[in-house]
Amino acid sequence: MRKLLPFSILFSFLLAFAAATSASAQGTTQERSDCMGDAMRFCSSDIPFVDEIESCLQQNIARLSPACRREFAPTQSTKLREEHFQ
């Protein structure tokens, strides 16, 4: 019984770590959402291809939400990833 307890604790820790790593790879909720709505509204035909979405957003920059414009304007890129659209 003593050997099972440390293994179960280690297993639980590894499982929690794997879940946290997976979630952080997608960015925070804020990082995913700043341009998500604009991408859906203006660039739905380009989803899930981020390069095409960013090109579409550039073409619609005057119509972007303020939050997306703030994220997009400095570098002409977003924090969107293809996996955000799955």
Side-chain angles (χ1 to χ4, degrees):
M1 185 73 169
R2 285 183 168 189
K3 291 184 181 195
L4 287 178
L5 182 60
F7 177 75
S8 65
I9 292 171
L10 177 62
F11 181 74
S12 297
F13 174 76
L14 290 175
L15 188 61
F17 179 76
T21 302
S22 172
S24 69
Q26 294 181 11
T28 66
T29 302
Q30 187 64 35
E31 288 171 336
R32 288 192 307 267
S33 67
D34 282 347
C35 287
M36 183 73 76
D38 291 331
M40 298 287 206
R41 184 174 21 259
F42 302 121
C43 312
S44 61
S45 64
D46 297 318
I47 292 172
F49 307 107
V50 174
D51 289 340
E52 286 84 357
I53 292 169
E54 289 176 343
S55 177
C56 171
L57 291 174
Q58 175 60 40
Q59 293 170 7
N60 290 285
I61 198 152
R63 299 166 54 192
L64 298 180
S65 66
C68 182
R69 203 173 310 128
R70 274 191 304 274
E71 176 184 324
F72 187 71
T75 61
Q76 303 302 303
S77 65
T78 65
K79 296 173 185 165
L80 295 173
R81 302 290 173 261
E82 289 185 17
E83 56 269 16
H84 296 161
F85 297 98
Q86 296 177 359

